[in-house]
């Protein structure tokens, strides 16, 4: 299976704290993407990191990729209540369409 | 700019009934997808269409059929609905299935209940 596995399944933090979510996968990848899903909505693309990149930033988001460990992490700095959502990683192996794991449910308490 | 539009938004079906979920995108994307998401779960790929004229099975294709009507439209049909198909269905599209264009854009979902 090419889908990623997110950890933890659920995370609850206070507003202003940093949130870190991890993703592990099993096969070689071409790129890895992170998506966010607000309750009752479709997924929204956050960031893409290529296999030859180790770190990427977008606003308050920082993504790292360690291909030797087959893992990625998403860091959200200075979390806000509006960051409350589920976060999914999607590793792309190049063989088929993107598939998704069960995600990390992030709750940011105001 | 509407992006990916799905209809209907909500539907209740009786076991054994059939229905078609419609999806259209206005981004001139080549690839389109249907996913399902069960409560508290991740998304599972049902079918996808890498380009107009092609369709391929995903992780959970049984009980479904698809039609890529043209470049814009990709429909999902349930021929004989079962309670196990109660789920939220998401249509999505992307410039391609592979990089550099495989960032996926999702619709808002169709809530289907089979009783």
């Amino acid at each position: 299976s090419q889908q990623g596995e997110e950890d933890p399944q659920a995370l609850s933090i206070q507003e202003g704290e940093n949130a870190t979510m991890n993703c592990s996968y099993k096969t070689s990848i071409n790129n890895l993407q992170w998506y966010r899903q607000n309750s009752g909505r479709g997924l929204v693309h956050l960031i893409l990191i290529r296999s030859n990149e180790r770190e990427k930033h977008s606003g308050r988001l920082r993504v790292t990729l360690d291909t030797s460990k087959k893992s990625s992490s998403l860091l959200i700095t200075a979390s806000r209540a509006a960051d409350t959502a589920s976060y999914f990683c999607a590793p792309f192996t190049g063989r088929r369409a993107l598939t998704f794991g069960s995600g990390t449910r992030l709750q940011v308490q105001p | 700019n509407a992006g990916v539009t799905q209809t209907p938004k909500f539907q209740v079906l009786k076991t054994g009934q059939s229905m078609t979920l419609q999806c259209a995108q206005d981004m001139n994307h080549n690839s389109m997808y249907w996913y399902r998401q069960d409560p508290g779960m991740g998304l599972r790929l049902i079918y996808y269409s890498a380009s107009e004229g092609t369709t391929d099975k995903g992780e959970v294709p049984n009980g479904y059929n698809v039609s890529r009507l043209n470049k814009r439209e990709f429909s999902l049909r349930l021929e004989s609905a079962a309670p196990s198909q109660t789920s939220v269905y998401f249509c999505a599209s992307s410039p391609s299935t592979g990089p550099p264009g495989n960032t996926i854009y999702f619709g808002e979902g169709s809530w289907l209940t089979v009783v």
Side-chain angles (χ1 to χ4, degrees):
Chain A
S1 169
Q2 75 168 0
Q3 70 187 44
E5 189 170 320
E6 296 88 352
D7 176 72
Q9 290 186 332
L11 180 61
S12 182
I13 60 173
Q14 297 296 123
E15 209 165 25
E17 294 180 338
N18 294 342
T20 300
M21 289 156 268
N22 302 297
C23 171
S24 60
Y25 55 91
K26 294 179 179 168
T27 61
S28 297
I29 61 168
N30 184 292
N31 66 49
L32 185 143
Q33 303 181 37
W34 285 90
Y35 288 77
R36 182 187 72 219
Q37 183 181 33
N38 290 94
S39 181
R41 308 296 297 274
L43 276 69
V44 174
H45 177 258
L46 293 176
I47 197 165
L48 179 153
I49 187 165
R50 294 180 176 82
S51 61
N52 61 352
E53 298 175 311
R54 292 296 166 258
E55 187 171 312
K56 201 162 184 179
H57 296 256
S58 177
R60 294 183 296 112
L61 304 181
R62 172 179 167 245
V63 169
T64 61
L65 179 65
D66 187 335
T67 53
S68 67
K69 295 182 179 178
K70 292 186 171 56
S71 67
S72 174
S73 67
L74 171 67
L75 168 67
I76 304 174
T77 59
S79 296
R80 305 166 181 169
D83 294 326
T84 294
S86 291
Y87 292 82
F88 297 87
C89 71
F92 182 68
T93 64
R95 287 186 294 167
R96 295 184 75 179
L98 281 182
T99 55
F100 297 84
S102 298
T104 292
R105 292 184 300 281
L106 173 65
Q107 178 75 42
V108 181
Q109 307 284 355
Chain B
N1 190 351
V4 179
T5 303
Q6 302 179 224
T7 57
K9 181 83 171 179
F10 300 96
Q11 183 73 49
V12 178
L13 284 179
K14 293 182 179 178
T15 297
Q17 287 186 320
S18 62
M19 78 158 296
T20 300
L21 298 174
Q22 307 285 355
C23 175
Q25 52 91 10
D26 62 3
M27 295 174 281
N28 200 34
H29 285 168
N30 290 307
S31 304
M32 297 186 73
Y33 314 81
W34 278 105
Y35 293 87
R36 62 175 284 177
Q37 184 175 35
D38 299 326
M41 304 286 287
L43 279 75
R44 290 183 290 173
L45 180 65
I46 304 172
Y47 271 93
Y48 67 103
S49 171
S51 60
E52 188 179 355
T54 69
T55 60
D56 286 285
K57 295 179 180 179
E59 302 168 283
V60 288
N62 291 345
Y64 304 96
N65 286 303
V66 290
S67 294
R68 184 73 184 267
L69 304 170
N70 48 55
K71 190 172 185 179
R72 289 186 65 248
E73 297 173 288
F74 189 39
S75 63
L76 177 72
R77 183 162 178 82
L78 287 71
E79 290 292 352
S80 179
S84 61
Q85 294 178 305
T86 293
S87 191
V88 183
Y89 291 83
F90 289 97
C91 180
S93 71
S94 65
S96 66
T97 56
N102 65 332
T103 295
I104 297 182
Y105 298 80
F106 284 82
E108 289 301 307
S110 296
W111 272 252
L112 176 65
T113 301
V114 183
V115 298

PDB file of all heavy atoms in Angstrom, chain A residues 37-68:
ATOM      1  N   GLN A  37      -8.413  18.927   6.437  1.00  0.00           N
ATOM      2  CA  GLN A  37      -9.845  18.774   6.245  1.00  0.00           C
ATOM      3  C   GLN A  37     -10.573  19.371   7.438  1.00  0.00           C
ATOM      4  O   GLN A  37     -10.482  18.852   8.551  1.00  0.00           O
ATOM      5  CB  GLN A  37     -10.250  17.301   6.081  1.00  0.00           C
ATOM      6  CG  GLN A  37     -11.741  17.126   5.811  1.00  0.00           C
ATOM      7  CD  GLN A  37     -12.152  15.678   5.683  1.00  0.00           C
ATOM      8  OE1 GLN A  37     -11.586  14.791   6.329  1.00  0.00           O
ATOM      9  NE2 GLN A  37     -13.139  15.405   4.833  1.00  0.00           N
ATOM     10  N   ASN A  38     -11.271  20.446   7.206  1.00  0.00           N
ATOM     11  CA  ASN A  38     -12.144  20.999   8.236  1.00  0.00           C
ATOM     12  C   ASN A  38     -13.407  20.146   8.304  1.00  0.00           C
ATOM     13  O   ASN A  38     -13.804  19.521   7.318  1.00  0.00           O
ATOM     14  CB  ASN A  38     -12.490  22.444   7.915  1.00  0.00           C
ATOM     15  CG  ASN A  38     -11.296  23.351   8.073  1.00  0.00           C
ATOM     16  OD1 ASN A  38     -10.579  23.626   7.109  1.00  0.00           O
ATOM     17  ND2 ASN A  38     -11.037  23.791   9.278  1.00  0.00           N
ATOM     18  N   SER A  39     -14.026  20.135   9.473  1.00  0.00           N
ATOM     19  CA  SER A  39     -15.186  19.277   9.705  1.00  0.00           C
ATOM     20  C   SER A  39     -16.268  19.510   8.654  1.00  0.00           C
ATOM     21  O   SER A  39     -16.693  20.642   8.416  1.00  0.00           O
ATOM     22  CB  SER A  39     -15.753  19.551  11.098  1.00  0.00           C
ATOM     23  OG  SER A  39     -16.859  18.715  11.354  1.00  0.00           O
ATOM     24  N   GLY A  40     -16.693  18.430   8.003  1.00  0.00           N
ATOM     25  CA  GLY A  40     -17.768  18.520   7.022  1.00  0.00           C
ATOM     26  C   GLY A  40     -17.370  19.090   5.681  1.00  0.00           C
ATOM     27  O   GLY A  40     -18.247  19.371   4.856  1.00  0.00           O
ATOM     28  N   ARG A  41     -16.090  19.239   5.433  1.00  0.00           N
ATOM     29  CA  ARG A  41     -15.627  19.842   4.172  1.00  0.00           C
ATOM     30  C   ARG A  41     -14.705  18.895   3.420  1.00  0.00           C
ATOM     31  O   ARG A  41     -14.282  17.851   3.925  1.00  0.00           O
ATOM     32  CB  ARG A  41     -14.884  21.153   4.464  1.00  0.00           C
ATOM     33  CG  ARG A  41     -15.621  22.147   5.324  1.00  0.00           C
ATOM     34  CD  ARG A  41     -16.883  22.650   4.660  1.00  0.00           C
ATOM     35  NE  ARG A  41     -16.643  23.382   3.428  1.00  0.00           N
ATOM     36  CZ  ARG A  41     -16.375  24.679   3.364  1.00  0.00           C
ATOM     37  NH1 ARG A  41     -16.316  25.396   4.472  1.00  0.00           N
ATOM     38  NH2 ARG A  41     -16.193  25.266   2.193  1.00  0.00           N
ATOM     39  N   GLY A  42     -14.366  19.280   2.198  1.00  0.00           N
ATOM     40  CA  GLY A  42     -13.400  18.512   1.427  1.00  0.00           C
ATOM     41  C   GLY A  42     -11.976  18.816   1.870  1.00  0.00           C
ATOM     42  O   GLY A  42     -11.723  19.757   2.616  1.00  0.00           O
ATOM     43  N   LEU A  43     -11.047  17.993   1.422  1.00  0.00           N
ATOM     44  CA  LEU A  43      -9.639  18.213   1.770  1.00  0.00           C
ATOM     45  C   LEU A  43      -9.077  19.393   0.986  1.00  0.00           C
ATOM     46  O   LEU A  43      -9.469  19.636  -0.164  1.00  0.00           O
ATOM     47  CB  LEU A  43      -8.808  16.967   1.446  1.00  0.00           C
ATOM     48  CG  LEU A  43      -8.776  15.871   2.496  1.00  0.00           C
ATOM     49  CD1 LEU A  43     -10.114  15.192   2.621  1.00  0.00           C
ATOM     50  CD2 LEU A  43      -7.687  14.855   2.178  1.00  0.00           C
ATOM     51  N   VAL A  44      -8.139  20.079   1.627  1.00  0.00           N
ATOM     52  CA  VAL A  44      -7.474  21.209   1.005  1.00  0.00           C
ATOM     53  C   VAL A  44      -5.966  20.964   1.048  1.00  0.00           C
ATOM     54  O   VAL A  44      -5.419  20.632   2.107  1.00  0.00           O
ATOM     55  CB  VAL A  44      -7.813  22.530   1.729  1.00  0.00           C
ATOM     56  CG1 VAL A  44      -6.991  23.680   1.163  1.00  0.00           C
ATOM     57  CG2 VAL A  44      -9.301  22.835   1.612  1.00  0.00           C
ATOM     58  N   HIS A  45      -5.317  21.122  -0.084  1.00  0.00           N
ATOM     59  CA  HIS A  45      -3.875  20.912  -0.167  1.00  0.00           C
ATOM     60  C   HIS A  45      -3.127  21.986   0.615  1.00  0.00           C
ATOM     61  O   HIS A  45      -3.434  23.183   0.522  1.00  0.00           O
ATOM     62  CB  HIS A  45      -3.434  20.947  -1.631  1.00  0.00           C
ATOM     63  CG  HIS A  45      -1.970  20.808  -1.822  1.00  0.00           C
ATOM     64  ND1 HIS A  45      -1.142  21.873  -2.088  1.00  0.00           N
ATOM     65  CD2 HIS A  45      -1.167  19.722  -1.772  1.00  0.00           C
ATOM     66  CE1 HIS A  45       0.097  21.448  -2.205  1.00  0.00           C
ATOM     67  NE2 HIS A  45       0.102  20.146  -2.027  1.00  0.00           N
ATOM     68  N   LEU A  46      -2.146  21.543   1.419  1.00  0.00           N
ATOM     69  CA  LEU A  46      -1.339  22.482   2.200  1.00  0.00           C
ATOM     70  C   LEU A  46       0.045  22.681   1.603  1.00  0.00           C
ATOM     71  O   LEU A  46       0.489  23.808   1.397  1.00  0.00           O
ATOM     72  CB  LEU A  46      -1.189  21.978   3.641  1.00  0.00           C
ATOM     73  CG  LEU A  46      -2.438  21.949   4.505  1.00  0.00           C
ATOM     74  CD1 LEU A  46      -2.116  21.328   5.854  1.00  0.00           C
ATOM     75  CD2 LEU A  46      -3.027  23.335   4.664  1.00  0.00           C
ATOM     76  N   ILE A  47       0.740  21.580   1.363  1.00  0.00           N
ATOM     77  CA  ILE A  47       2.141  21.690   0.965  1.00  0.00           C
ATOM     78  C   ILE A  47       2.599  20.387   0.329  1.00  0.00           C
ATOM     79  O   ILE A  47       2.106  19.311   0.664  1.00  0.00           O
ATOM     80  CB  ILE A  47       3.004  22.059   2.199  1.00  0.00           C
ATOM     81  CG1 ILE A  47       4.375  22.577   1.796  1.00  0.00           C
ATOM     82  CG2 ILE A  47       3.069  20.903   3.182  1.00  0.00           C
ATOM     83  CD1 ILE A  47       5.108  23.272   2.939  1.00  0.00           C
ATOM     84  N   LEU A  48       3.514  20.486  -0.604  1.00  0.00           N
ATOM     85  CA  LEU A  48       4.114  19.335  -1.272  1.00  0.00           C
ATOM     86  C   LEU A  48       5.610  19.400  -1.078  1.00  0.00           C
ATOM     87  O   LEU A  48       6.220  20.463  -1.253  1.00  0.00           O
ATOM     88  CB  LEU A  48       3.751  19.352  -2.763  1.00  0.00           C
ATOM     89  CG  LEU A  48       4.295  18.241  -3.666  1.00  0.00           C
ATOM     90  CD1 LEU A  48       3.351  18.026  -4.858  1.00  0.00           C
ATOM     91  CD2 LEU A  48       5.698  18.530  -4.184  1.00  0.00           C
ATOM     92  N   ILE A  49       6.210  18.279  -0.717  1.00  0.00           N
ATOM     93  CA  ILE A  49       7.662  18.208  -0.591  1.00  0.00           C
ATOM     94  C   ILE A  49       8.158  17.089  -1.493  1.00  0.00           C
ATOM     95  O   ILE A  49       7.603  15.984  -1.498  1.00  0.00           O
ATOM     96  CB  ILE A  49       8.096  18.015   0.885  1.00  0.00           C
ATOM     97  CG1 ILE A  49       9.618  18.122   1.006  1.00  0.00           C
ATOM     98  CG2 ILE A  49       7.562  16.722   1.486  1.00  0.00           C
ATOM     99  CD1 ILE A  49      10.099  18.306   2.443  1.00  0.00           C
ATOM    100  N   ARG A  50       9.170  17.376  -2.274  1.00  0.00           N
ATOM    101  CA  ARG A  50       9.705  16.396  -3.203  1.00  0.00           C
ATOM    102  C   ARG A  50      10.708  15.487  -2.497  1.00  0.00           C
ATOM    103  O   ARG A  50      11.278  15.847  -1.468  1.00  0.00           O
ATOM    104  CB  ARG A  50      10.350  17.104  -4.399  1.00  0.00           C
ATOM    105  CG  ARG A  50       9.348  17.859  -5.234  1.00  0.00           C
ATOM    106  CD  ARG A  50       9.991  18.564  -6.428  1.00  0.00           C
ATOM    107  NE  ARG A  50       8.984  19.207  -7.260  1.00  0.00           N
ATOM    108  CZ  ARG A  50       8.461  20.385  -7.000  1.00  0.00           C
ATOM    109  NH1 ARG A  50       8.835  21.059  -5.934  1.00  0.00           N
ATOM    110  NH2 ARG A  50       7.553  20.896  -7.805  1.00  0.00           N
ATOM    111  N   SER A  51      10.983  14.352  -3.082  1.00  0.00           N
ATOM    112  CA  SER A  51      11.854  13.366  -2.424  1.00  0.00           C
ATOM    113  C   SER A  51      13.281  13.866  -2.253  1.00  0.00           C
ATOM    114  O   SER A  51      14.011  13.379  -1.388  1.00  0.00           O
ATOM    115  CB  SER A  51      11.850  12.062  -3.212  1.00  0.00           C
ATOM    116  OG  SER A  51      12.336  12.275  -4.523  1.00  0.00           O
ATOM    117  N   ASN A  52      13.694  14.848  -3.054  1.00  0.00           N
ATOM    118  CA  ASN A  52      15.059  15.365  -2.925  1.00  0.00           C
ATOM    119  C   ASN A  52      15.126  16.602  -2.022  1.00  0.00           C
ATOM    120  O   ASN A  52      16.168  17.240  -1.913  1.00  0.00           O
ATOM    121  CB  ASN A  52      15.639  15.700  -4.299  1.00  0.00           C
ATOM    122  CG  ASN A  52      14.850  16.760  -5.035  1.00  0.00           C
ATOM    123  OD1 ASN A  52      13.777  17.170  -4.601  1.00  0.00           O
ATOM    124  ND2 ASN A  52      15.376  17.213  -6.158  1.00  0.00           N
ATOM    125  N   GLU A  53      14.007  16.938  -1.389  1.00  0.00           N
ATOM    126  CA  GLU A  53      13.968  18.043  -0.443  1.00  0.00           C
ATOM    127  C   GLU A  53      13.918  17.508   0.985  1.00  0.00           C
ATOM    128  O   GLU A  53      13.322  16.451   1.236  1.00  0.00           O
ATOM    129  CB  GLU A  53      12.752  18.942  -0.714  1.00  0.00           C
ATOM    130  CG  GLU A  53      12.785  19.594  -2.089  1.00  0.00           C
ATOM    131  CD  GLU A  53      11.521  20.396  -2.392  1.00  0.00           C
ATOM    132  OE1 GLU A  53      10.411  19.860  -2.199  1.00  0.00           O
ATOM    133  OE2 GLU A  53      11.667  21.551  -2.826  1.00  0.00           O
ATOM    134  N   ARG A  54      14.485  18.239   1.910  1.00  0.00           N
ATOM    135  CA  ARG A  54      14.497  17.790   3.307  1.00  0.00           C
ATOM    136  C   ARG A  54      13.568  18.623   4.172  1.00  0.00           C
ATOM    137  O   ARG A  54      13.084  18.151   5.203  1.00  0.00           O
ATOM    138  CB  ARG A  54      15.920  17.851   3.856  1.00  0.00           C
ATOM    139  CG  ARG A  54      16.836  16.836   3.226  1.00  0.00           C
ATOM    140  CD  ARG A  54      16.375  15.418   3.547  1.00  0.00           C
ATOM    141  NE  ARG A  54      17.038  14.431   2.707  1.00  0.00           N
ATOM    142  CZ  ARG A  54      16.475  13.862   1.658  1.00  0.00           C
ATOM    143  NH1 ARG A  54      15.244  14.180   1.298  1.00  0.00           N
ATOM    144  NH2 ARG A  54      17.141  12.962   0.962  1.00  0.00           N
ATOM    145  N   GLU A  55      13.333  19.857   3.761  1.00  0.00           N
ATOM    146  CA  GLU A  55      12.500  20.747   4.568  1.00  0.00           C
ATOM    147  C   GLU A  55      11.856  21.773   3.651  1.00  0.00           C
ATOM    148  O   GLU A  55      12.446  22.204   2.649  1.00  0.00           O
ATOM    149  CB  GLU A  55      13.371  21.445   5.613  1.00  0.00           C
ATOM    150  CG  GLU A  55      12.628  22.264   6.624  1.00  0.00           C
ATOM    151  CD  GLU A  55      13.536  22.741   7.755  1.00  0.00           C
ATOM    152  OE1 GLU A  55      14.278  21.904   8.299  1.00  0.00           O
ATOM    153  OE2 GLU A  55      13.499  23.939   8.057  1.00  0.00           O
ATOM    154  N   LYS A  56      10.620  22.133   4.026  1.00  0.00           N
ATOM    155  CA  LYS A  56       9.911  23.137   3.249  1.00  0.00           C
ATOM    156  C   LYS A  56       9.025  23.950   4.179  1.00  0.00           C
ATOM    157  O   LYS A  56       8.472  23.418   5.155  1.00  0.00           O
ATOM    158  CB  LYS A  56       9.069  22.468   2.165  1.00  0.00           C
ATOM    159  CG  LYS A  56       8.706  23.377   1.013  1.00  0.00           C
ATOM    160  CD  LYS A  56       8.281  22.563  -0.177  1.00  0.00           C
ATOM    161  CE  LYS A  56       8.004  23.462  -1.366  1.00  0.00           C
ATOM    162  NZ  LYS A  56       7.611  22.684  -2.556  1.00  0.00           N
ATOM    163  N   HIS A  57       8.915  25.233   3.899  1.00  0.00           N
ATOM    164  CA  HIS A  57       8.128  26.117   4.744  1.00  0.00           C
ATOM    165  C   HIS A  57       7.023  26.772   3.923  1.00  0.00           C
ATOM    166  O   HIS A  57       7.195  27.058   2.735  1.00  0.00           O
ATOM    167  CB  HIS A  57       9.011  27.225   5.335  1.00  0.00           C
ATOM    168  CG  HIS A  57      10.075  26.727   6.248  1.00  0.00           C
ATOM    169  ND1 HIS A  57       9.994  26.846   7.620  1.00  0.00           N
ATOM    170  CD2 HIS A  57      11.243  26.097   6.001  1.00  0.00           C
ATOM    171  CE1 HIS A  57      11.073  26.327   8.170  1.00  0.00           C
ATOM    172  NE2 HIS A  57      11.849  25.863   7.215  1.00  0.00           N
ATOM    173  N   SER A  58       5.896  27.010   4.582  1.00  0.00           N
ATOM    174  CA  SER A  58       4.823  27.783   3.982  1.00  0.00           C
ATOM    175  C   SER A  58       4.083  28.477   5.113  1.00  0.00           C
ATOM    176  O   SER A  58       3.314  27.853   5.842  1.00  0.00           O
ATOM    177  CB  SER A  58       3.871  26.876   3.195  1.00  0.00           C
ATOM    178  OG  SER A  58       2.789  27.633   2.666  1.00  0.00           O
ATOM    179  N   GLY A  59       4.332  29.761   5.282  1.00  0.00           N
ATOM    180  CA  GLY A  59       3.705  30.497   6.385  1.00  0.00           C
ATOM    181  C   GLY A  59       4.078  29.892   7.727  1.00  0.00           C
ATOM    182  O   GLY A  59       5.255  29.756   8.061  1.00  0.00           O
ATOM    183  N   ARG A  60       3.060  29.465   8.498  1.00  0.00           N
ATOM    184  CA  ARG A  60       3.314  28.840   9.811  1.00  0.00           C
ATOM    185  C   ARG A  60       3.539  27.325   9.706  1.00  0.00           C
ATOM    186  O   ARG A  60       3.658  26.650  10.724  1.00  0.00           O
ATOM    187  CB  ARG A  60       2.139  29.127  10.740  1.00  0.00           C
ATOM    188  CG  ARG A  60       1.972  30.595  11.116  1.00  0.00           C
ATOM    189  CD  ARG A  60       0.827  30.810  12.105  1.00  0.00           C
ATOM    190  NE  ARG A  60      -0.465  30.462  11.526  1.00  0.00           N
ATOM    191  CZ  ARG A  60      -1.198  29.429  11.923  1.00  0.00           C
ATOM    192  NH1 ARG A  60      -0.777  28.616  12.892  1.00  0.00           N
ATOM    193  NH2 ARG A  60      -2.366  29.187  11.352  1.00  0.00           N
ATOM    194  N   LEU A  61       3.591  26.811   8.526  1.00  0.00           N
ATOM    195  CA  LEU A  61       3.782  25.380   8.320  1.00  0.00           C
ATOM    196  C   LEU A  61       5.235  25.078   7.992  1.00  0.00           C
ATOM    197  O   LEU A  61       5.873  25.781   7.213  1.00  0.00           O
ATOM    198  CB  LEU A  61       2.911  24.878   7.165  1.00  0.00           C
ATOM    199  CG  LEU A  61       1.414  25.133   7.247  1.00  0.00           C
ATOM    200  CD1 LEU A  61       0.728  24.544   6.012  1.00  0.00           C
ATOM    201  CD2 LEU A  61       0.814  24.561   8.510  1.00  0.00           C
ATOM    202  N   ARG A  62       5.727  24.011   8.624  1.00  0.00           N
ATOM    203  CA  ARG A  62       7.063  23.516   8.286  1.00  0.00           C
ATOM    204  C   ARG A  62       6.959  22.005   8.101  1.00  0.00           C
ATOM    205  O   ARG A  62       6.483  21.296   8.975  1.00  0.00           O
ATOM    206  CB  ARG A  62       8.058  23.844   9.395  1.00  0.00           C
ATOM    207  CG  ARG A  62       9.426  23.209   9.209  1.00  0.00           C
ATOM    208  CD  ARG A  62      10.359  23.591  10.340  1.00  0.00           C
ATOM    209  NE  ARG A  62      11.569  22.766  10.339  1.00  0.00           N
ATOM    210  CZ  ARG A  62      11.889  21.919  11.306  1.00  0.00           C
ATOM    211  NH1 ARG A  62      11.105  21.774  12.362  1.00  0.00           N
ATOM    212  NH2 ARG A  62      12.993  21.207  11.237  1.00  0.00           N
ATOM    213  N   VAL A  63       7.385  21.536   6.957  1.00  0.00           N
ATOM    214  CA  VAL A  63       7.358  20.103   6.654  1.00  0.00           C
ATOM    215  C   VAL A  63       8.782  19.606   6.502  1.00  0.00           C
ATOM    216  O   VAL A  63       9.605  20.268   5.865  1.00  0.00           O
ATOM    217  CB  VAL A  63       6.556  19.830   5.371  1.00  0.00           C
ATOM    218  CG1 VAL A  63       6.758  18.388   4.910  1.00  0.00           C
ATOM    219  CG2 VAL A  63       5.086  20.099   5.594  1.00  0.00           C
ATOM    220  N   THR A  64       9.065  18.466   7.107  1.00  0.00           N
ATOM    221  CA  THR A  64      10.350  17.816   6.917  1.00  0.00           C
ATOM    222  C   THR A  64      10.130  16.447   6.299  1.00  0.00           C
ATOM    223  O   THR A  64       9.056  15.844   6.444  1.00  0.00           O
ATOM    224  CB  THR A  64      11.112  17.671   8.238  1.00  0.00           C
ATOM    225  OG1 THR A  64      10.330  16.859   9.125  1.00  0.00           O
ATOM    226  CG2 THR A  64      11.374  19.028   8.872  1.00  0.00           C
ATOM    227  N   LEU A  65      11.136  15.970   5.617  1.00  0.00           N
ATOM    228  CA  LEU A  65      11.080  14.662   4.983  1.00  0.00           C
ATOM    229  C   LEU A  65      12.394  13.947   5.212  1.00  0.00           C
ATOM    230  O   LEU A  65      13.461  14.511   4.941  1.00  0.00           O
ATOM    231  CB  LEU A  65      10.807  14.805   3.482  1.00  0.00           C
ATOM    232  CG  LEU A  65      10.745  13.518   2.669  1.00  0.00           C
ATOM    233  CD1 LEU A  65       9.556  12.657   3.100  1.00  0.00           C
ATOM    234  CD2 LEU A  65      10.657  13.832   1.177  1.00  0.00           C
ATOM    235  N   ASP A  66      12.315  12.728   5.714  1.00  0.00           N
ATOM    236  CA  ASP A  66      13.486  11.880   5.900  1.00  0.00           C
ATOM    237  C   ASP A  66      13.247  10.601   5.111  1.00  0.00           C
ATOM    238  O   ASP A  66      12.570   9.689   5.594  1.00  0.00           O
ATOM    239  CB  ASP A  66      13.695  11.589   7.384  1.00  0.00           C
ATOM    240  CG  ASP A  66      15.003  10.854   7.659  1.00  0.00           C
ATOM    241  OD1 ASP A  66      15.511  10.156   6.742  1.00  0.00           O
ATOM    242  OD2 ASP A  66      15.510  10.949   8.779  1.00  0.00           O
ATOM    243  N   THR A  67      13.779  10.538   3.920  1.00  0.00           N
ATOM    244  CA  THR A  67      13.520   9.378   3.060  1.00  0.00           C
ATOM    245  C   THR A  67      14.211   8.119   3.576  1.00  0.00           C
ATOM    246  O   THR A  67      13.759   7.015   3.300  1.00  0.00           O
ATOM    247  CB  THR A  67      13.951   9.652   1.613  1.00  0.00           C
ATOM    248  OG1 THR A  67      15.306  10.097   1.601  1.00  0.00           O
ATOM    249  CG2 THR A  67      13.062  10.711   0.983  1.00  0.00           C
ATOM    250  N   SER A  68      15.293   8.287   4.338  1.00  0.00           N
ATOM    251  CA  SER A  68      15.975   7.107   4.883  1.00  0.00           C
ATOM    252  C   SER A  68      15.111   6.423   5.948  1.00  0.00           C
ATOM    253  O   SER A  68      15.152   5.206   6.107  1.00  0.00           O
ATOM    254  CB  SER A  68      17.328   7.488   5.469  1.00  0.00           C
ATOM    255  OG  SER A  68      17.170   8.316   6.610  1.00  0.00           O
TER     256      SER A  68
END
